[in-house]
């Protein structure tokens, strides 16, 4: 009976156009974030998502304060892309390391954003939605923009997959054998920036980096190859997003928070499976030399 | 014509000269060992050879149909690559990237070459294993196979035995010698493990912020710089053992 209720709930849920929009955009964003997340986590850039989303917050605040049209995404995207390149430049000059560079940009843009808000509209529901995400944030125009951007991100990721692997695994070797590592780093930064901006209306600027970090870390508990880690995090990310959205709708909790909690649960389950597997030696038996092992 | 020529080259960091007066050439089939203490400019020279750093004066150039992107490079291990989820095959295959140019995916031929090099280094049984779970010596073999995927002519090895135990070091030196003798691959190796390193070398380049010595191994052993350095290194070794 439980299953039946759940099913009818699902059907009822999808009758709302705003839910349809959210699910389409959210699913695409989770996919993009998970793909890029593997590389970002391994390059020790896990917090770049949080940094860039704060830049996004500042630019959304500006956009609404100065009434720059009804689609604030259009303002936020170029600003955040610029910030991503700047971030890369700062940490490449090696005077300021990656994590400090992220902290610099993130806090300064948060400060700018809050000053702009305080001196114009004040703290209102809109601002709260920016911070913690909302199911209602997407307009139809946002949806089309998000879909086309996600398609761009996924296509570029697939095309540059081997180069992204090489640059992530060993940048010096890649550079030494003639790969233009600077360009591929910029592509990663560019794709990340777009993913963050598209995702942050739904997830909220405070929580968007979870989409980048969790699926990658979760799948690294079990998978041992770059290719399977990438595929597994895409799947984990999508499943967690979907469950999270349904829970959010049913229990009327913020979508971003609900998705993160499901991500946490997935992380704990994967970690437990991996630990139990190693402890009992089952892991070697099941994943060792068998077909599954070759796959993972 | 030499594979690689260094003409009166000097390198600097942030405007500060760190190694100068470099004059040497590497010919096909050579086994050049670059020695010197920490801070003597070895790593800088490597960056120069790989074209990752431009000399402030003089020049470094490749000849004999060798392109700088065709140097097989075995870098020192970084913290990132140590806990990276990747199979040995994925790592080795990434050595083919320089031959791909702008094409996005590897060809069947690339995969064959990766498999050939995996067999050459006798790590077929590790092909599908996770790179981070291998021992230090096995990881170096995988990286050496990757370097071989990037070159047919010249290998550049940066401290290949650092962090390896003596048995694994000797094994690796053996493999490198075999590649040099049987597969006719030119070797440039940087090492501070002087005795292990110069054992198989044909030429020595000794650096201390400038070029102290360049020539054949036999000449080096009889030279002033060589005698001093080998004696000191010998004392260091003795100190370590006892």
């Amino acid at each position: 009976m439980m299953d039946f209720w759940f099913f009818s709930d699902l059907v009822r849920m999808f009758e709302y156009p705003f839910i349809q929009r959210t699910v389409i955009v959210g699913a695409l964003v989770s996919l993009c974030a998970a793909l890029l997340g593997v590389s970002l986590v391994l390059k020790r850039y896990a917090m770049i998502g949080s940094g860039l989303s704060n830049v996004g917050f500042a630019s959304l605040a500006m956009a609404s304060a100065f009434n720059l049209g009804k689609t604030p995404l259009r303002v936020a995207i170029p600003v955040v892309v610029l910030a991503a390149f700047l971030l890369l430049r700062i940490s490449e000059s090696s005077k300021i390391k990656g994590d400090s560079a992220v902290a610099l940009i993130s806090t300064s843009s948060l400060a700018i954003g809050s000053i702009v808000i305080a001196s114009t509209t004040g703290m209102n529901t809109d601002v709260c939605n920016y911070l913690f995400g909302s199911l209602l944030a997407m307009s139809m125009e946002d949806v089309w923009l998000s879909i086309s951007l996600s398609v761009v991100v996924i296509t570029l990721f697939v095309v540059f997959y081997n180069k992204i692997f090489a640059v992530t695994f060993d940048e010096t070797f890649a550079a030494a054998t003639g790969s233009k590592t600077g360009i591929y780093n910029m592509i990663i930064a560019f794709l990340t920036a777009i993913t963050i901006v598209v995702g942050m209306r739904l997830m909220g600027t405070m929580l968007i980096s979870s989409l980048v970090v969790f699926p990658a870390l979760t799948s690294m508990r079990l998978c041992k190859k770059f290719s399977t880690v990438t595929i597994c995090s895409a799947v984990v990310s999508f499943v967690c997003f979907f469950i999270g959205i349904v829970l959010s709708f049913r229990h009327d909790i913020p979508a971003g928070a609900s998705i993160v909690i499901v991500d946490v649960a997935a992380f704990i389950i994967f970690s437990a499976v991996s630990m139990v597997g190693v402890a009992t030696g089952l892991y070697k038996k099941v994943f060792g030399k068998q077909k599954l092992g070759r796959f993972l | 014509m030499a594979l690689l020529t260094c003409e009166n080259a000097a390198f600097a960091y942030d405007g500060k000269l760190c190694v100068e007066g470099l004059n040497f050439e590497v010919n096909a089939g050579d086994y050049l060992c670059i020695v010197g203490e920490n801070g003597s400019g070895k790593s800088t020279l490597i960056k120069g050879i790989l074209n990752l750093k431009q000399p402030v004066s003089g020049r470094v150039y490749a000849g004999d149909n060798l392109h700088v992107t065709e140097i097989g490079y075995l870098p020192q291990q970084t913290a990132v690559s140590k806990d990276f989820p990747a199979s040995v095959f994925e790592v080795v295959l990434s050595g083919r990237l320089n031959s791909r140019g702008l094409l996005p995916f590897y060809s069947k031929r690339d995969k064959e070459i990766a498999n050939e090099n995996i067999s050459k280094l006798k790590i077929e049984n590790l092909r599908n294993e996770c790179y981070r779970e291998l021992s230090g010596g096995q990881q170096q073999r995988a990286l050496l196979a990757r370097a071989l995927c990037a070159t047919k002519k010249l290998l550049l090895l940066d401290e290949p035995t650092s962090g390896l135990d003596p048995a694994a070091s000797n094994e690796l030196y053996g493999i490198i010698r075999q590649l040099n003798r049987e597969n006719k691959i030119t070797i440039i190796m940087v090492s501070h493990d002087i005795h292990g390193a110069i054992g198989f070398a044909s030429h020595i380049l000794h650096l201390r912020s400038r070029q102290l010595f360049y020539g054949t191994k036999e000449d080096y052993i009889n030279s002033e710089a060589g005698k001093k350095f080998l004696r000191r290194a010998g004392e260091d070794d003795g100190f370590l053992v006892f």
Side-chain angles (χ1 to χ4, degrees):
Chain A
M1 278 316 276
M2 185 73 190
D3 285 347
F4 183 69
W5 284 341
F6 185 74
F7 186 70
S8 65
D9 251 12
L10 265 185
V11 172
R12 195 162 56 83
M13 189 178 138
F14 276 97
E15 280 164 4
Y16 295 96
F18 77 92
I19 289 282
Q20 294 165 6
R21 290 201 290 267
T22 309
V23 169
I24 294 170
V25 173
L28 285 168
V29 168
S30 335
L31 214 61
C32 298
L35 294 177
L36 291 164
V38 178
S39 181
L40 292 173
V41 165
L42 289 167
K43 282 171 87 73
R44 307 290 187 268
Y45 262 126
M47 288 312 285
I48 197 175
S50 133
L52 290 180
S53 63
N54 282 342
V55 176
F57 172 72
S59 51
L60 286 183
M62 295 260 202
S64 69
F66 302 118
N67 257 330
L68 294 173
K70 282 191 176 116
T71 49
L73 277 186
R74 284 194 182 161
V75 182
I77 286 168
V79 175
V80 176
V81 169
L82 267 179
F85 288 158
L86 187 66
L87 210 60
L88 213 65
R89 271 268 164 281
I90 293 177
S91 45
E92 261 173 13
S93 73
S94 79
K95 291 264 156 55
I96 304 172
K97 283 290 164 215
D99 55 342
S100 323
V102 169
L104 270 183
I105 291 204
S106 145
T107 47
S108 47
S109 50
L110 199 55
I112 294 171
S114 54
I115 288 174
V116 169
I117 286 169
S119 53
T120 52
T121 55
M123 272 290 174
N124 55 23
T125 2
D126 271 358
V127 178
C128 200
N129 283 346
Y130 286 159
L131 288 174
F132 296 105
S134 160
L135 282 176
L136 299 163
M138 290 285 164
S139 73
M140 212 45 217
E141 207 178 329
D142 283 347
V143 172
W144 284 116
L145 191 61
S146 305
I147 290 175
S148 35
L149 287 175
S150 307
V151 171
V152 170
V153 171
I154 293 169
T155 316
L156 284 178
F157 183 87
V158 172
V159 168
F160 287 110
Y161 169 81
N162 287 317
K163 321 242 176 200
I164 289 175
F165 170 81
V167 169
T168 312
F169 179 69
D170 192 340
E171 202 169 324
T172 327
F173 178 85
T177 51
S179 297
K180 305 257 179 298
T181 50
I183 290 178
Y184 300 125
N185 277 330
M186 267 167 91
I187 288 173
I188 296 174
F190 174 70
L191 298 182
T192 310
I194 290 182
T195 308
I196 296 296
V197 180
V198 173
M200 73 185 188
R201 312 280 319 274
L202 172 67
M203 292 295 292
T205 56
M206 309 297 279
L207 295 172
I208 179 76
S209 56
S210 65
L211 277 193
V212 173
V213 181
F214 269 111
L217 285 178
T218 302
S219 50
M220 274 181 223
R221 297 306 101 192
L222 286 184
C223 300
K224 316 235 148 174
K225 287 184 192 171
F226 192 75
S227 53
T228 49
V229 167
T230 307
I231 294 167
C232 181
S233 31
V235 173
V236 166
S237 184
F238 179 77
V239 171
C240 289
F241 162 78
F242 195 77
I243 298 174
I245 278 289
V246 173
L247 289 179
S248 152
F249 181 77
R250 270 174 68 117
H251 301 288
D252 201 18
I253 45 178
S258 145
I259 293 166
V260 174
I261 292 300
V262 178
D263 270 319
V264 173
F267 179 76
I268 292 172
I269 293 169
F270 272 60
S271 305
V273 170
S274 144
M275 269 194 278
V276 170
V278 170
T280 57
L282 251 174
Y283 195 90
K284 263 266 172 276
K285 258 181 221 153
V286 182
F287 300 116
K289 306 285 173 214
Q290 315 296 323
K291 267 197 185 130
L292 195 55
R294 212 167 290 155
F295 174 70
L296 285 172
Chain B
M1 199 184 170
L3 272 184
L4 192 82
T5 312
C6 211
E7 259 177 20
N8 209 19
F11 292 95
Y13 265 112
D14 297 328
K16 228 183 113 215
L17 212 59
C18 65
V19 59
E20 59 181 325
L22 296 167
N23 273 302
F24 63 90
E25 55 181 41
V26 182
N27 291 296
D30 280 2
Y31 188 140
L32 173 69
C33 188
I34 304 176
V35 297
E37 279 127 24
N38 287 340
S40 57
K42 292 176 293 185
S43 310
T44 313
L45 174 58
I46 286 210
K47 289 209 174 103
I49 293 174
L50 291 170
N51 215 11
L52 298 178
K53 191 162 181 57
Q54 298 307 319
V56 283
S57 68
R59 61 191 199 122
V60 181
Y61 58 92
D64 215 2
N65 287 328
L66 179 79
H67 195 263
V68 273
T69 61
E70 290 171 347
I71 298 176
Y73 174 46
L74 181 72
Q76 280 183 296
Q77 294 227 322
T78 58
V80 171
S81 56
K82 270 186 184 147
D83 63 351
F84 203 91
S87 69
V88 169
F89 183 69
E90 283 179 314
V91 170
V92 175
L93 187 61
S94 72
R96 293 298 301 159
L97 200 67
N98 62 344
S99 64
R100 291 276 78 201
L102 284 174
L103 297 173
F105 305 111
Y106 295 114
S107 68
K108 217 174 157 192
R109 180 82 195 112
D110 290 325
K111 290 176 184 162
E112 279 167 23
I113 291 172
N115 279 325
E116 281 164 23
N117 287 315
I118 284 175
S119 324
K120 207 177 267 174
L121 289 167
K122 304 191 178 59
I123 46 174
E124 296 102 326
N125 55 331
L126 305 174
R127 192 178 172 279
N128 291 311
E129 295 287 306
C130 180
Y131 174 80
R132 67 179 163 197
E133 288 169 1
L134 306 181
S135 70
Q138 290 170 331
Q139 288 188 342
Q140 286 299 70
R141 279 181 189 228
L143 293 186
L144 202 51
R146 176 185 65 167
L148 285 175
C149 281
T151 189
K152 284 191 208 75
K153 294 172 188 160
L154 178 62
L155 274 181
L156 181 59
L157 315 167
D158 190 357
E159 304 276 7
T161 58
S162 70
L164 297 188
D165 59 51
S169 297
N170 284 336
E171 210 174 51
L172 197 65
Y173 284 133
I175 294 170
I176 295 166
R177 180 172 66 155
Q178 197 183 355
L179 291 171
N180 179 239
R181 297 221 172 138
E182 287 169 22
N183 299 306
K184 306 287 175 236
I185 291 173
T186 311
I187 307 280
I188 301 177
M189 177 163 70
V190 167
S191 182
H192 57 236
D193 167 24
I194 175 100
H195 290 294
I198 71 167
F200 304 126
S202 66
H203 291 73
I204 304 287
L205 174 65
H206 188 162
L207 301 179
R208 194 198 289 150
S209 307
R210 62 193 172 81
Q211 185 170 318
L212 284 185
F213 178 89
Y214 168 71
T216 62
K217 182 171 72 176
E218 289 70 29
D219 288 347
Y220 180 67
I221 292 171
N222 295 318
S223 73
E224 203 51 43
K227 275 181 186 157
K228 236 183 183 165
F229 193 67
L230 288 171
R231 197 166 57 235
R232 267 247 302 293
E235 280 164 12
D236 283 355
D237 285 355
F239 195 69
L240 280 174
V241 172
F242 297 112

